Amino acid sequence: MAMTPAEAAERAAQLRALLQHHAHRYYVLDDPQVSDAEYDCLFQALQALEDEYPALQTPDSPTQRIIGQVLDGFAPVRHTVPMLSIRTETDTDPSGAWAFDARVRRELSLAPSDPPVIYTAELKFDGLAINLRYENGVLVQAATRGDGETGENVTQNMRTIKEIPGQLRTRGALPAVLEVRGEVYMRRDDFDALNERQRQRMADGDRTGKTFVNPRNAAAGAVRQLDPRIAALRPLRFFAYGLGDFDGWAGGPPPSQSALLEALGAFGLPVNADHAVVSGGSGLADFHAAVQARRGQLPFDIDGVVYKVDDRALQQRLGFVSREPRWAVAHKYPAQEQITGLRAIEVQVGRTGKLTPVAKLEPVFVGGTTVSNATLHNLFELRRKRVRIGDRVVVRRAGDVIPEVVGRVEALRPAYVPNFRMPRSCPVCGSQVLREPGGIDHRCTGGLYCGAQRKQALLHFAGRRAMNIDGLGEKIVDQLVDGGLVATLPALYQLSLEQLRALGRMGDKSARNLLTGLQTSKQTTLARFLFALGMRHVGESTAKDLAAHFGSLDRLLAASEEQLLAVRDVGPVVAHTLRLFLDQPHNRDVIDQLRAAGITWAEHDGVAQAEPLPLAGQTFVLTGTLPTLTRDEARALIEAAGGKVAGAVSKKTNWLVAGDDAGSKREKADALGVAVLDEAGLQQLLSDIASA
Ligand code: IVH
């Protein structure tokens, strides 16, 4: 039903207010509440309304201007040459390319018999537009686009990006003034690693930490980070693609967009190699399709491609219409973020026992496929995003990564929805579920007993450094488990020649080889056997230490947590998880059955620790990101020297090992007068005691 003019006016005002709100979240706070798709939807609704009732079109309408605003704290920079936006073909099929070519030909009054127009086709990087100003080859200023006329001075932050040269390379004369335009962006792998670090910080109790929704927001947030030291920690990159102001350029600017890209590259600026000089609408459409096919394999996000008339003289003839060049257009791809309903949250158990909350969604087309499941990562993330069953959520699927729920749009839940909880027992095998102190992930302690972990457990058990079972590889494990022949480790030793022969693709010879392999594996060592059980934290060297320390399996099985702590390389976390594993009756059954199947090793009385290790009795706490060591590596080094690693700083803490962005733990350590080491200090301490 048609609206009355009064209703239309009210609706337009509502849409304008909504768009302004979301634009502020997006452009100014870098913290959007809705997906790009939802924003576009609102935008188009307003545009349609204004088209129908032109009287509603006000100069301050979001449809009439470039949104963006200078953040307090950055000095404004007036762009000598305005930073324009370009028209977007919202059609995601090839027709957008043809439509652009037809428009260009019309504007240039070309006849159908005239030759095709030549274009440069580029990727449309999903980042933040930046203007770099070089004077006599030296970077003097970097600014964001802002509202196109005035941007923010972000020179300091841009100087922290290694790819942006502080000084242009010369071959011959440099222009006196050269403004380079391009995009600051973040690669997807860098983005994932950044978010992983942020998650770790939050798990460490840093309440100011947050994860970023997508690489674009992370990049935009870093560019406009008021503290350049924090900006420097964010892995930003840059691609140059255009020209702003210039002066004193011998011979003038290059005669075409493709020549400009080449010249920028020669100056030492990063230019993405993935561009092409193509001919006519068909060349553009082919480029669009070809890039779309490998969009997921690109290391960064793109939201489309950009077509530019190659010839500079033609560009000038085409000129501008309402602040948009007629010679360039952006041609989009389907969105990588969509909004949909969250129907349920289920828990999945991975091959390593990790429990992942998985969102069951109303199916939605995103990033090129229909998605109905998406990861919620872990309980921390889920709580932080405050998603509950019934909500509208933003789903993101970029590249070939697993789709994820990145946030909540609206709480549309029924009146009462209980908070999601991780199950106490594994949904697959019923074993106890645990979260390690200081850890983020919940895990099933079922190990080899758990159906979800079975194949992995069998392969690990058979591995060369474990039971070394010849002939038991991935394919056979798949067949044995999928065919229902092997559900537990001991069942391996019950296999008969007939059963193996009956498996598809298994010849008589390989069946016999496997049986021989199984037979031979029975004579082993205690260390190999312990390692083969695949207990969490018990790697090869801890297995050796346990075997050497206790000498016999029964003594190990009977050891208390305190007695386990006395073993070299075993800290509180390891002792605790080990004890839990050994206390599960089904794990004891597996061990008994394996022994009953004939697995044996030589036992001895065990060796008493010759002398206490140098760091025995010393408690360490780790915090922040260390320059070279991972947390686990640092922990291993400390524990190998006899020290303990605890999760929180207390009066009992002897040392705090602090890396970059150490937060509350550092403050607590300082308050308690705990000694603080950086990574170099830790290495020094370890080498001092090693040589003492
Ligand atoms: S050219 C006058 N080329 O997309 C032409 N823009 O509205 C100016 N973008 O603000 C833009 N990749 O932030 C151009 N290869 C590319 C681009 C690109 C990404 C962004 C840029 C611009 C927006 C278009």
Side-chain angles (χ1 to χ4, degrees):
M1 214 174 54
M3 278 187 238
T4 67
E7 283 167 347
E10 192 183 322
R11 177 81 186 127
Q14 261 176 3
L15 286 168
R16 238 168 253 153
L18 259 177
L19 282 164
Q20 244 137 26
H21 166 77
H22 290 307
H24 181 79
R25 303 275 317 194
Y26 186 91
Y27 291 101
V28 181
L29 304 180
D30 295 319
D31 189 16
Q33 286 174 314
V34 297
S35 73
D36 292 2
E38 177 99 331
Y39 184 86
D40 288 348
C41 213
L42 295 171
F43 192 89
Q44 278 156 18
L46 179 60
Q47 220 161 22
L49 211 57
E50 289 177 347
D51 285 350
E52 203 179 328
Y53 302 92
L56 295 178
Q57 210 179 74
T58 55
D60 69 334
S61 171
T63 58
Q64 299 304 302
R65 64 197 177 94
I66 305 170
I67 303 173
Q69 186 176 318
V70 176
L71 253 199
D72 285 346
F74 288 112
V77 170
R78 184 131 189 108
H79 298 300
T80 320
V81 176
M83 285 183 84
L84 302 175
S85 138
I86 41 178
R87 183 190 160 112
T88 301
E89 286 296 343
T90 41
D91 250 331
T92 56
D93 65 60
S95 63
W98 292 101
F100 173 60
D101 183 54
R103 260 201 324 278
V104 167
R105 294 187 71 88
R106 201 173 49 241
E107 300 288 348
L108 292 173
S109 314
L110 295 179
S113 55
D114 286 321
V117 176
I118 304 300
Y119 299 98
T120 293
E122 301 170 14
L123 306 183
K124 186 170 187 301
F125 314 107
D126 201 4
L128 196 73
I130 291 287
N131 184 67
L132 302 176
R133 186 178 174 91
Y134 287 90
E135 289 177 2
N136 300 313
V138 178
L139 176 65
V140 294
Q141 187 185 66
T144 63
R145 184 167 77 177
D147 64 4
E149 304 287 339
T150 308
E152 298 149 317
N153 187 334
V154 291
T155 315
Q156 276 204 330
N157 289 351
M158 290 304 97
R159 285 193 199 284
T160 68
I161 302 179
K162 294 183 202 71
E163 286 179 328
I164 296 184
Q167 168 92 53
L168 295 180
R169 272 209 309 253
T170 39
R171 242 179 282 142
L174 278 167
V177 172
L178 176 68
E179 285 189 0
V180 178
R181 292 192 172 161
E183 201 86 350
V184 169
Y185 69 99
M186 200 179 279
R187 284 171 57 122
R188 259 194 313 266
D189 53 354
D190 287 334
F191 167 75
D192 289 339
L194 173 68
N195 260 357
E196 203 51 52
R197 286 202 299 275
Q198 296 291 98
R199 279 186 201 115
Q200 184 62 48
R201 281 176 54 166
M202 288 188 290
D204 283 353
D206 180 346
R207 301 211 170 271
T208 62
K210 66 167 207 168
T211 52
F212 300 95
V213 171
N214 55 40
R216 191 213 165 267
N217 287 117
V223 168
R224 307 167 73 226
Q225 168 59 245
L226 284 168
D227 184 346
R229 287 168 306 177
I230 298 181
L233 294 172
R234 307 268 166 84
L236 294 177
R237 290 167 191 265
F238 179 78
F239 280 133
Y241 52 63
L243 193 59
D245 190 20
F246 60 87
D247 189 34
W249 198 341
S256 65
Q257 172 65 13
S258 48
L260 172 68
L261 293 179
E262 205 172 304
L264 295 177
F267 283 136
L269 289 152
V271 173
N272 181 252
D274 225 335
H275 60 264
V277 176
V278 301
S279 153
S282 64
L284 297 175
D286 288 349
F287 184 83
H288 185 263
V291 171
Q292 182 162 11
R294 52 192 178 74
R295 179 188 188 190
Q297 275 100 57
L298 292 172
F300 44 79
D301 281 357
I302 58 171
D303 54 349
V305 286
V306 179
Y307 309 140
K308 299 173 186 174
V309 170
D310 197 42
D311 188 286
R312 195 174 159 80
L314 283 188
Q315 288 179 4
Q316 274 159 349
R317 253 177 70 193
L318 283 160
F320 298 85
V321 56
S322 71
R323 305 167 48 80
E324 284 175 354
R326 283 203 190 85
W327 47 267
V329 78
H331 193 181
K332 289 262 202 173
Y333 288 131
Q336 293 180 314
E337 284 179 13
Q338 283 297 352
I339 294 177
T340 190
L342 175 61
R343 287 179 173 164
I345 300 174
E346 285 179 5
V347 171
Q348 241 167 42
V349 187
R351 277 160 36 103
T352 60
K354 183 183 154 188
L355 268 60
T356 305
V358 175
K360 297 281 158 179
L361 305 165
E362 281 160 27
V364 62
F365 192 74
V366 53
T369 47
T370 300
V371 168
S372 44
N373 296 313
T375 181
L376 282 156
H377 296 292
N378 56 54
L379 194 61
F380 270 97
E381 285 282 290
L382 195 159
R383 290 267 159 83
R384 196 183 61 77
K385 291 171 185 154
R386 296 184 301 158
V387 293
R388 296 216 208 154
I389 296 161
D391 289 346
R392 307 282 298 163
V393 294
V394 180
V395 182
R396 176 176 161 82
R397 181 181 179 275
D400 299 328
V401 300
I402 309 167
E404 58 173 345
V405 170
V406 291
R408 183 187 77 175
V409 181
E410 243 180 311
L412 285 184
R413 60 188 70 136
Y416 176 73
V417 181
N419 226 335
F420 171 82
R421 288 181 189 284
M422 274 295 190
R424 287 162 172 274
S425 55
C426 172
V428 175
C429 73
S431 298
Q432 193 180 2
V433 166
L434 267 189
R435 184 170 65 84
E436 284 166 8
I440 303 174
D441 296 325
H442 287 74
R443 287 182 185 276
C444 163
T445 54
L448 45 95
Y449 174 75
C450 178
Q453 302 169 66
R454 199 163 284 153
K455 286 183 185 175
Q456 171 117 326
L458 284 166
L459 277 172
H460 173 82
F461 184 79
R464 206 169 48 78
R465 311 173 82 92
M467 298 301 286
N468 194 18
I469 305 176
D470 256 356
L472 190 58
E474 207 161 326
K475 284 210 183 88
I476 297 184
V477 165
D478 281 349
Q479 285 181 306
L480 290 174
V481 173
D482 297 342
L485 284 183
V486 172
T488 65
L489 296 179
L492 278 175
Y493 293 96
Q494 256 72 71
L495 288 169
S496 70
L497 193 58
E498 287 66 46
Q499 282 177 315
L500 288 178
R501 277 213 210 100
L503 285 179
R505 281 183 293 159
M506 169 94 92
D508 184 69
K509 184 146 178 274
S510 31
R512 280 179 200 281
N513 280 349
L514 176 54
L515 284 186
T516 314
L518 281 162
Q519 197 56 34
T520 324
S521 74
K522 288 182 184 172
Q523 184 60 51
T524 185
T525 65
L526 176 55
R528 277 177 175 273
F529 180 74
L530 293 175
F531 175 56
L533 292 177
M535 298 177 283
R536 192 156 157 72
H537 298 306
V538 181
E540 224 181 334
S541 90
T542 306
K544 281 184 185 154
D545 290 337
L546 288 166
H549 187 94
F550 291 104
S552 91
L553 182 58
D554 290 322
R555 265 195 293 275
L556 167 64
L557 293 177
S560 67
E561 238 175 274
E562 288 71 44
Q563 287 168 325
L564 288 169
L565 272 174
V567 180
R568 212 179 90 90
D569 248 8
V570 174
V573 173
V574 184
H576 186 66
T577 36
L578 197 56
R579 199 53 262 167
L580 272 167
F581 179 93
L582 298 174
D583 284 340
Q584 306 256 342
H586 54 73
N587 289 339
R588 294 296 269 258
D589 286 348
V590 166
I591 291 172
D592 290 345
Q593 287 170 31
L594 285 171
R595 283 211 275 192
I599 293 176
T600 59
W601 54 82
E603 298 206 332
H604 60 92
D605 289 342
V607 285
Q609 291 268 329
E611 55 188 72
L613 286 161
L615 291 182
Q618 302 273 314
T619 303
F620 290 71
V621 172
L622 303 171
T623 185
T625 315
L626 299 177
T628 68
L629 292 173
T630 65
R631 285 261 170 124
D632 285 343
E633 287 163 353
R635 170 192 296 276
L637 288 174
I638 292 166
E639 290 178 351
K644 286 186 194 173
V645 178
V649 175
S650 73
K651 278 185 294 201
K652 292 191 191 138
T653 310
N654 301 95
W655 306 92
L656 179 76
V657 181
D660 279 341
D661 45 82
S664 58
K665 289 185 186 173
R666 171 80 206 237
E667 283 162 28
K668 185 136 189 228
D670 288 340
L672 290 172
V674 171
V676 178
L677 294 171
D678 59 6
E679 182 181 313
L682 173 66
Q683 302 275 23
Q684 187 63 47
L685 177 72
L686 291 167
S687 78
D688 286 352
I689 56 166
S691 55

